[in-house]
Amino acid sequence: MSLTRNRFNLFLSLACLVGYGWLALVSQLKPEEVGKRYDACLIRHFAHIPCPSCGSTRSVLALMHGDLIGGLYWNPLGFVIIATLIVAPFWIGYDLLLNKETLYRFFRLFEKTLRRKWVAIPVILLLLLNWGWNISKGV
Amino acid sequence: MDAQNVDMFLMANAKFLEDHQIFHIRERLLAMDETNWKMLQFMQFNDPVILLIVSLVTGPLAVDRFMLGDIGLGVAKLLTCGGLGIWVLIDWIMIMGITRRKNTEKLMMAIY
């Protein structure tokens, strides 16, 4: 049961739906209130330290309000998430309408690129740095 | 291949593979040439129990997915705090089966 194009599109569509649902749930709150009200991270819940992606929701909320600095402060990964949430539905729709698999091919290329050491090592280092920053901020 | 070698291989590695494929794999291995025995001996499989422990301990960091070679899904799991915790819980239940499936696929790729 490998990840075929249709499975990938379905998975990404569901992920986007959950993402939009989650944003709708927290959109009434100010970014700084989200972490106190909803604790979805198991690492923060049990180990009391933030994970590398903690603060992403607050970052996305800040970006939705046009606050780029806030988005960068809460978690730079928020930029990746909001870009995915905006682009993915259109890309999936384009592929489905024209019966193409450009998004799936892009995903496979992304995976292949990340498997290369000279790409993987800097990405891992950046994620670790971001994690350290998250812990120091106490997100 | 020699039936004794095939059975020895399966005895050592059956726990890493999907149960319902074992008979099919045995048949295929028996039909294969003896020269493939060395290649089979050096094949490395992920241990489902190790993956379960990794998943339990580092679930939201998606280390389990990266170990399985699911880089894209790993990045997605990592970026979303383990799918808001839901994906982590699902992987705790599913990861052993996923590992066996991946191991079986790897073996199938090698012997076909």
Side-chain angles (χ1 to χ4, degrees):
Chain A
M1 216 165 60
S2 55
L3 197 63
T4 58
R5 184 199 71 165
N6 289 343
R7 274 181 205 285
F8 171 71
N9 283 344
L10 181 68
F11 175 81
L12 194 57
S13 306
L14 285 174
C16 285
L17 269 178
V18 172
Y20 279 116
W22 175 247
L23 283 177
L25 185 73
V26 298
S27 60
Q28 307 302 321
L29 302 170
K30 288 179 182 168
E32 51 273 19
E33 291 172 352
V34 175
K36 292 169 194 161
R37 187 93 172 260
Y38 299 104
D39 192 5
C41 180
L42 293 176
I43 291 188
R44 194 175 52 197
H45 190 78
F46 290 110
H48 304 293
I49 54 164
C51 79
S53 53
C54 275
S56 301
T57 306
R58 283 161 278 182
S59 170
V60 171
L61 283 180
L63 291 172
M64 280 165 61
H65 293 107
D67 180 9
L68 292 178
I69 305 294
L72 196 67
Y73 170 77
W74 285 117
N75 198 326
L77 295 174
F79 285 88
V80 181
I81 293 171
I82 200 167
T84 309
L85 283 173
I86 293 169
V87 173
F90 291 105
W91 203 337
I92 293 168
Y94 169 82
D95 274 0
L96 286 178
L97 277 175
L98 300 178
N99 198 24
K100 289 187 174 181
E101 49 179 47
T102 54
L103 180 57
Y104 181 66
R105 278 190 197 162
F106 174 78
F107 173 73
R108 286 292 179 210
L109 183 69
F110 170 75
E111 277 197 316
K112 201 174 159 188
T113 310
L114 267 184
R115 279 200 180 95
R116 293 188 180 133
K117 273 183 192 166
W118 56 270
V119 178
I121 292 169
V123 169
I124 291 166
L125 283 176
L126 280 174
L127 282 172
L128 287 174
L129 275 175
N130 188 43
W131 193 8
W133 191 29
N134 258 358
I135 293 170
S136 70
K137 281 184 290 190
V139 172
Chain B
M1 275 198 302
D2 181 34
Q4 200 179 348
N5 284 346
V6 171
D7 288 338
M8 201 166 73
F9 173 80
L10 287 177
M11 266 201 295
N13 295 297
K15 62 186 175 192
F16 303 137
L17 305 169
E18 288 179 306
D19 294 342
H20 65 276
Q21 298 276 19
I22 296 288
F23 181 75
H24 181 64
I25 290 169
R26 186 176 186 277
E27 293 296 306
R28 174 66 195 161
L29 291 178
L30 285 172
M32 279 174 75
D33 198 67
E34 199 66 43
T35 51
N36 294 305
W37 173 235
K38 253 197 180 143
M39 178 268 291
L40 272 182
Q41 273 184 310
F42 290 109
M43 277 198 85
Q44 296 281 326
F45 296 110
N46 284 312
D47 190 331
V49 178
I50 299 282
L51 259 294
L52 177 63
I53 293 166
V54 169
S55 189
L56 286 170
V57 177
T58 65
L61 301 177
V63 178
D64 48 352
R65 288 287 175 173
F66 290 120
M67 280 177 74
L68 284 177
D70 286 338
I71 307 292
L73 292 179
V75 170
K77 192 176 171 184
L78 177 66
L79 286 185
T80 55
C81 276
L84 301 172
I86 303 164
W87 194 347
V88 173
L89 297 177
I90 294 171
D91 267 357
W92 284 353
I93 299 163
M94 307 268 291
I95 200 72
M96 289 179 80
I98 296 170
T99 310
R100 287 197 187 96
R101 177 169 53 77
K102 291 261 176 192
N103 285 335
T104 309
E105 279 173 7
K106 186 179 173 184
L107 180 61
M108 291 292 199
M109 291 269 282
I111 62 180
Y112 276 97

Coordinates of all heavy atoms in Angstrom, one line a residue, chain A residues 3 9 20 48 79 96 126:
Chain A
L3 N 2.4 5.0 -1.3 CA 1.8 6.3 -1.4 C 1.6 6.6 -2.9 O 2.6 7.2 -3.5 CB 2.6 7.4 -0.7 CG 1.9 8.7 -0.4 CD1 0.7 8.4 0.5 CD2 2.8 9.6 0.2
N9 N -2.8 12.8 -2.8 CA -3.8 13.9 -2.9 C -4.8 13.9 -1.8 O -5.2 14.9 -1.3 CB -4.4 13.9 -4.3 CG -3.5 14.4 -5.4 OD1 -2.5 15.1 -5.1 ND2 -3.8 14.2 -6.6
Y20 N -7.2 23.8 8.2 CA -8.2 24.9 8.1 C -9.2 24.9 9.3 O -9.6 25.9 9.9 CB -8.9 24.9 6.8 CG -8.1 25.6 5.7 CD1 -7.7 24.9 4.6 CD2 -7.8 26.9 5.7 CE1 -6.9 25.5 3.5 CE2 -7.0 27.5 4.7 CZ -6.6 26.8 3.6 OH -5.9 27.4 2.7
H48 N 7.1 19.1 29.0 CA 7.2 20.5 29.4 C 8.2 21.3 28.6 O 8.7 22.3 29.1 CB 7.3 20.8 30.9 CG 6.2 20.1 31.6 ND1 4.8 20.5 31.6 CD2 6.2 19.0 32.5 CE1 4.1 19.6 32.3 NE2 4.9 18.8 32.9
F79 N 5.7 30.0 8.1 CA 5.7 30.4 6.7 C 5.5 29.2 5.7 O 4.8 29.3 4.8 CB 7.1 31.1 6.3 CG 7.2 32.5 6.9 CD1 7.7 32.7 8.2 CD2 6.8 33.6 6.2 CE1 7.8 34.0 8.7 CE2 6.9 34.9 6.7 CZ 7.4 35.1 8.0
L96 N -6.3 17.5 -10.4 CA -7.5 16.7 -10.6 C -8.3 17.1 -11.9 O -8.7 16.2 -12.6 CB -8.4 16.8 -9.4 CG -8.0 16.1 -8.1 CD1 -8.9 16.4 -7.0 CD2 -7.8 14.6 -8.3
L126 N 19.3 23.5 10.8 CA 18.3 24.6 10.9 C 17.2 24.3 11.9 O 16.8 25.1 12.7 CB 17.8 25.0 9.6 CG 18.7 25.9 8.7 CD1 18.1 26.1 7.3 CD2 18.9 27.3 9.4

